[in-house]
Amino acid sequence: MHPSTYINKILLGSQQGSLQLWNIKSNKLLFSFPGWQAGVTVLQQAPAVDVVAIGLANGKIVVHNIKFDETLMTFQQDWGPITAISFRTDGHPIMAAGSPIGHIGLWDLEEKKLMSQMREAHSTAIAGLTFVHGEPLLITNAADNAIRVWIFDGPGGQGRLLRFRLGHSAPPTFVRYHGQDGKHILSAGQDGAIHSFSTIHDRYSKSLGHGSINKAKAKKVGLRCTYLRLPPVVCFASETARQNDWDGIIACHQRKSYCTTWNFVRSTMGAHKLKPPNLKTKGTYATAVDITSCGNFVVIGLSAGNVDVYNIQSGIHRGSYGEDTAHDGPIRGVAVDGLNQMTVTAGDDKLIKFWKFKSKQLMHTVDIEVTPTCILLCRESGMLSVALEDFSIKVLDIETYKLVRRFPGHNGKINDMTYSPDGRWLLTASMDCTVKVWDFPSGCLIDCFLLDTPVVSLTMSPTGDYLATAHVDDLSLYLWSNKSLFSMVSLRPLPSNYEPVVVMLPGAAEEEEEEIVEVEEVSEDMMEYESPEQLGERLVTLSLLPESRWKNLLNLDVIKRRNKPKEPPKLPKSAPFFIPTLPGLVPRFVTEVEDESTQSKVVNLGVLERKSVFCVQLEESLKHENYDVPLKTIKEMGPSSIEVEIRSLAPDGGGSVELMQSFLKMIGRMLETKLDFELAQAYLALFLKIHLKFISSEPTLLEEFSTLSTSLDETWLHMQKLFNQSLCVLTYMKSALL
């Protein structure tokens, strides 16, 4: 410890009990204290200068003045060695001392006696405690992976719990997202507790507690009732559909024949312990659980091969699958589809069985030839993934009972699997320290990364933004971001000889270095796809112009008429400084009336008007029959400009018959290439609306228009056929019973 105001000096305590004061600048021993015949465990500076509190291994606390080598006071705690000491600095002469059994003693330094005790502040040894400077707040932490803040604002000097952060005191072994919003992660650990961790803010995290054999008795005894605790939770299943009405979590405990229900809303263990009736085989225990999407029923598989159904609200047994047992051997996994129509069970007998959920009848059996370790059903797609003991993965379709995918898997036991929200990816974790991402449509491995420690359980957020993992001998849950949501990621299959690179766990590496590496990998691996202008010759391609550029071309006259002002704007009359009056007996002001002409001032020049750029380009295109330039020009115009240009094509507007013929050839070229299909329709419709009478009197234009009409009919008949086929298929899919 560094004593306050002692420059370049430290105080060392030893297991033999003696103390030494050293100058670390000159490396000289300044003074030695003989000690108190017990090892020193804690050294803490008191608020007073030269005064140090010394905690000893025999439970004694010595307040010593190191300047005069005098002992000011001595206290004795009966809870074992002193683990931590702290002093209040807000005006109260209080000293707090921690113990190995989780108790905290509060000592009054003026009266030199024990003021109060904070029993069971933690369930394990107090690792550290510190009073906030100038505040009545005490922060404590211990080996139970908890940090607590106590406030001293009540009579008697007793502290009350103000806030806390709590995690697993033993490594978590099973994690799952709870609900469809992706905000809560449920985890079960080797400490026997179930915790809920929030991905939004740690203040929303909570503990659901430990499973108890006798809940009422355990509540009376307190934290020390370890003999009443249930073994750790092996696996669980949760549903939010009816969690406000009754329990929504079912948990399977290690080598226990019954399963417990839990309530997420009340953050406690439920009232039911679901135990199979008429259990004949001793030593039978639950191995797999699942809960239906409606939140009313749970399915439990046992080590004897039994599969039972219970009502989670009442805890009543609702039947079993199979005459005697569902499988000849332990159940490896159970799953229920999203509509409560089918139950899938996997057993140690290498069989996957499909049952009717309500009638409990066996519908189909699939022999997978290898013993399964676990199964996972995607209720949205009906894909059942089965992890096998040969470290491979088989995917079955529960509708057709057929094998649809086979993945080579890993080089070690597969610990857990999870699906992406859209059901396209399957993520697997194995004891070979790898996490792999398999793509269902292509049936290939698209991502793989290597970790320092194996992943024992993983789950992907229902929103697809995070992947949560739990690791061997690690108290933490790690969140991985889905890079495909915010950056360009290559989803091409990885080569067969791909060797993954070791990836640091989140929070264990510098963010800047990781970002640089990721950018380099993406730039080397990614090849941006450039879409062709037209995918196929027989396909109709639309333009990328907004609808406002072509949709209202036929209604421009209506729009102009609607937007036309009712009367032209009037200039305000400028009043003279002295208003003139008319002579007479009654004085009257002279009113100035300005006659405003209602005649339009716009002059139609007709043939005298200069030709526009579009008209010049049409004349040039008629010679070499390339209409790309005028088409590009008219696509850049607005609706009003397009109407003006089309009106000016006629001889009355300054154009000619050749210009109108060139325009029709441009439309015909657009229909031949099937590009900008909607623009061709809109331009042709406006052209006919304006110049229909003139076209009927010109044989050249009639001949050109007949050719254009034939091409237009062929294109539309082909499109109409495709539309009818698509509508027929959609109608069948909507009405047929598949």
Side-chain angles (χ1 to χ4, degrees):
M1 186 208 70
H2 166 61
S4 296
T5 71
Y6 284 58
I7 301 175
N8 299 327
K9 297 175 182 65
I10 58 171
L11 183 65
L12 303 177
S14 64
Q15 292 183 356
Q16 293 77 17
S18 61
L19 282 79
Q20 294 180 349
L21 184 65
W22 283 78
N23 187 314
I24 59 175
K25 188 175 182 179
S26 61
N27 294 334
K28 292 182 179 180
L29 176 63
L30 303 180
F31 193 79
S32 296
F33 302 90
W36 294 269
Q37 290 80 40
V40 177
T41 57
V42 181
L43 291 174
Q44 179 63 38
Q45 174 70 52
V49 181
D50 304 325
V51 178
V52 175
I54 305 163
L56 304 179
N58 58 5
K60 184 181 292 187
I61 305 172
V62 178
V63 181
H64 195 77
N65 190 313
I66 59 175
K67 183 176 182 179
F68 301 104
D69 192 15
E70 294 181 359
T71 299
L72 304 180
M73 56 191 77
T74 305
F75 305 100
Q76 179 67 43
Q77 281 190 178
D78 299 330
W79 300 323
I82 305 300
T83 59
I85 297 176
S86 183
F87 293 88
R88 286 184 67 173
T89 57
D90 60 337
H92 296 268
I94 304 298
M95 178 184 66
S99 66
I101 58 176
H103 301 332
I104 298 176
L106 300 175
W107 300 88
D108 192 328
L109 299 179
E110 286 187 350
E111 300 183 5
K112 300 181 181 180
K113 66 176 184 179
L114 182 67
M115 185 183 68
S116 62
Q117 303 176 16
M118 297 170 59
R119 288 185 170 269
E120 297 179 351
H122 290 268
S123 59
T124 56
I126 303 295
L129 52 86
T130 303
F131 278 102
V132 179
H133 183 72
E135 299 287 341
L137 299 176
L138 176 65
I139 303 175
T140 63
N141 74 302
D144 57 358
N145 197 19
I147 181 169
R148 292 182 168 92
V149 180
W150 311 82
I151 185 170
F152 298 86
D153 57 354
Q158 185 72 23
R160 64 177 178 88
L161 186 61
L162 180 63
R163 62 179 67 92
F164 65 94
R165 296 289 183 264
L166 185 64
H168 284 284
S169 58
T173 56
F174 196 81
V175 296
R176 287 293 182 269
Y177 267 94
H178 181 68
Q180 296 300 317
D181 54 1
K183 296 181 180 179
H184 301 282
I185 302 175
L186 290 177
S187 68
Q190 296 177 7
D191 55 355
I194 296 180
H195 288 265
S196 171
F197 296 98
S198 173
T199 59
I200 304 300
H201 197 279
D202 204 33
R203 74 176 72 171
Y204 303 117
S205 301
K206 59 183 179 180
S207 173
L208 276 65
H210 295 78
S212 301
I213 299 175
N214 189 329
K215 188 177 178 182
K217 187 176 180 181
K219 190 174 182 180
K220 292 180 180 179
V221 176
L223 292 176
R224 301 294 170 185
C225 60
T226 54
Y227 64 94
L228 292 175
R229 289 182 180 176
L230 287 172
V233 174
V234 178
C235 62
F236 61 81
S238 66
E239 185 58 51
T240 60
R242 303 300 295 271
Q243 67 175 3
N244 293 322
D245 302 323
W246 51 74
D247 300 339
I249 303 172
I250 179 71
C252 170
H253 295 265
Q254 186 177 0
R255 306 194 72 83
K256 279 291 182 180
S257 60
Y258 56 83
C259 295
T260 56
T261 61
W262 297 73
N263 194 296
F264 181 81
V265 177
R266 293 189 289 111
S267 305
T268 182
M269 191 179 78
H272 303 299
K273 291 183 175 64
L274 307 180
K275 187 174 182 179
N278 304 323
L279 191 61
K280 300 178 182 179
T281 307
K282 291 185 178 180
T284 301
Y285 54 90
T287 57
V289 292
D290 195 16
I291 186 171
T292 58
S293 58
C294 62
N296 292 311
F297 301 98
V298 295
V299 181
I300 301 175
L302 303 177
S303 60
N306 306 76
V307 178
D308 301 302
V309 182
Y310 299 85
N311 186 294
I312 195 171
Q313 180 186 8
S314 60
I316 299 176
H317 184 260
R318 293 298 187 188
S320 303
Y321 293 96
E323 295 181 0
D324 188 16
T325 60
H327 289 268
D328 296 332
I331 301 298
R332 298 294 188 178
V334 294
V336 184
D337 68 344
L339 300 176
N340 293 2
Q341 299 294 316
M342 181 188 299
T343 301
V344 185
T345 60
D348 209 31
D349 52 1
K350 306 176 184 178
L351 297 178
I352 303 292
K353 294 186 178 182
F354 301 87
W355 313 78
K356 287 186 178 180
F357 178 79
K358 190 174 182 180
S359 63
K360 313 293 188 299
Q361 295 178 358
L362 179 63
M363 295 190 296
H364 194 76
T365 302
V366 177
D367 187 359
I368 54 177
E369 301 176 353
V370 183
T371 304
T373 57
C374 61
I375 66 173
L376 183 66
L377 174 64
C378 180
R379 289 174 173 173
E380 289 76 13
S381 62
M383 296 291 109
L384 178 72
S385 298
V386 184
L388 306 176
E389 287 191 347
D390 62 355
F391 313 145
S392 65
I393 304 162
K394 290 184 177 181
V395 182
L396 304 175
D397 187 352
I398 65 173
E399 296 292 337
T400 61
Y401 315 118
K402 293 183 179 180
L403 179 68
V404 294
R405 289 290 184 271
R406 187 196 306 270
F407 299 126
H410 295 260
N411 297 322
K413 177 180 177 292
I414 298 176
N415 294 328
D416 202 3
M417 301 182 292
T418 185
Y419 287 103
S420 62
D422 55 3
R424 293 177 60 91
W425 297 346
L426 175 67
L427 292 85
T428 58
S430 170
M431 290 302 293
D432 59 3
C433 300
T434 61
V435 175
K436 295 186 177 182
V437 183
W438 309 89
D439 185 59
F440 274 119
S442 64
C444 299
L445 177 68
I446 59 174
D447 193 15
C448 176
F449 56 92
L450 184 64
L451 302 170
D452 292 329
T453 56
V455 175
V456 294
S457 184
L458 79 167
T459 177
M460 195 165 187
S461 169
T463 57
D465 50 357
Y466 292 118
L467 172 70
T469 59
H471 298 257
V472 173
D473 295 332
D474 199 326
L475 297 179
S476 305
L477 297 184
Y478 294 92
L479 287 181
W480 305 79
S481 295
N482 186 358
K483 293 193 295 184
S484 64
L485 296 181
F486 53 83
S487 63
M488 295 291 293
V489 177
S490 172
L491 297 181
R492 291 182 297 175
L494 297 178
S496 58
N497 58 350
Y498 177 77
E499 294 185 4
V501 181
V502 178
V503 179
M504 299 293 292
L505 291 174
E510 295 183 6
E511 295 182 359
E512 295 182 358
E513 295 182 358
E514 282 190 356
E515 289 179 359
I516 294 173
V517 172
E518 288 178 2
V519 170
E520 290 178 355
E521 290 180 356
V522 170
S523 61
E524 292 177 359
D525 190 47
M526 281 299 298
M527 294 177 59
E528 292 189 4
Y529 174 75
E530 294 183 0
S531 177
E533 188 177 5
Q534 193 170 16
L535 298 179
E537 296 180 357
R538 296 177 57 85
L539 297 179
V540 170
T541 304
L542 304 181
S543 68
L544 298 179
L545 295 181
E547 292 184 352
S548 59
R549 302 278 288 275
W550 57 268
K551 193 173 183 180
N552 297 319
L553 285 177
L554 289 177
N555 303 320
L556 278 178
D557 51 349
V558 179
I559 296 174
K560 289 181 178 179
R561 196 181 312 119
R562 184 186 61 194
N563 296 338
K564 184 179 180 181
K566 296 181 180 179
E567 56 182 8
K570 296 181 180 179
L571 292 174
K573 297 178 180 180
S574 56
F577 188 80
F578 296 104
I579 301 178
T581 57
L582 295 176
L585 296 176
V586 179
R588 290 182 301 169
F589 294 106
V590 177
T591 58
E592 298 178 359
V593 180
E594 297 180 358
D595 295 333
E596 297 180 357
S597 176
T598 58
Q599 187 177 1
S600 175
K601 298 179 180 179
V602 178
V603 179
N604 187 8
L605 298 178
V607 295
L608 300 177
E609 188 176 4
R610 184 179 178 182
K611 291 183 179 180
S612 64
V613 176
F614 177 68
C615 293
V616 174
Q617 292 174 350
L618 278 179
E619 289 178 348
E620 295 177 356
S621 300
L622 188 60
K623 299 176 183 178
H624 47 72
E625 296 184 355
N626 186 3
Y627 295 92
D628 294 338
V629 177
L631 180 59
K632 181 180 179 182
T633 302
I634 197 172
K635 285 171 66 175
E636 295 175 353
M637 298 180 183
S640 299
S641 301
I642 294 174
E643 186 192 26
V644 172
E645 293 290 347
I646 293 179
R647 284 187 184 276
S648 63
L649 295 177
D652 296 341
S656 62
V657 177
E658 288 76 13
L659 275 178
M660 299 178 71
Q661 184 181 4
S662 180
F663 182 83
L664 290 177
K665 286 183 178 293
M666 184 187 73
I667 299 296
R669 180 62 181 168
M670 294 172 68
L671 294 178
E672 288 178 6
T673 58
K674 296 183 175 60
L675 291 172
D676 303 323
F677 186 76
E678 80 280 19
L679 295 184
Q681 303 292 328
Y683 297 161
L684 182 59
L686 182 61
F687 181 82
L688 293 176
K689 179 181 178 181
I690 297 175
H691 305 298
L692 185 60
K693 292 183 180 180
F694 184 79
I695 293 174
S696 60
S697 61
E698 289 291 334
T700 308
L701 297 179
L702 284 176
E703 183 181 356
E704 188 69 34
F705 188 75
S706 62
T707 307
L708 185 64
S709 178
T710 304
S711 176
L712 187 63
D713 290 339
E714 291 178 357
T715 305
W716 173 245
L717 287 175
H718 177 66
M719 287 187 61
Q720 193 175 29
K721 183 180 178 181
L722 295 178
F723 286 150
N724 292 335
Q725 288 179 353
S726 301
L727 290 174
C728 182
V729 173
L730 287 175
T731 305
Y732 174 74
M733 293 295 290
K734 290 168 62 177
S735 59
L737 297 176
L738 298 179

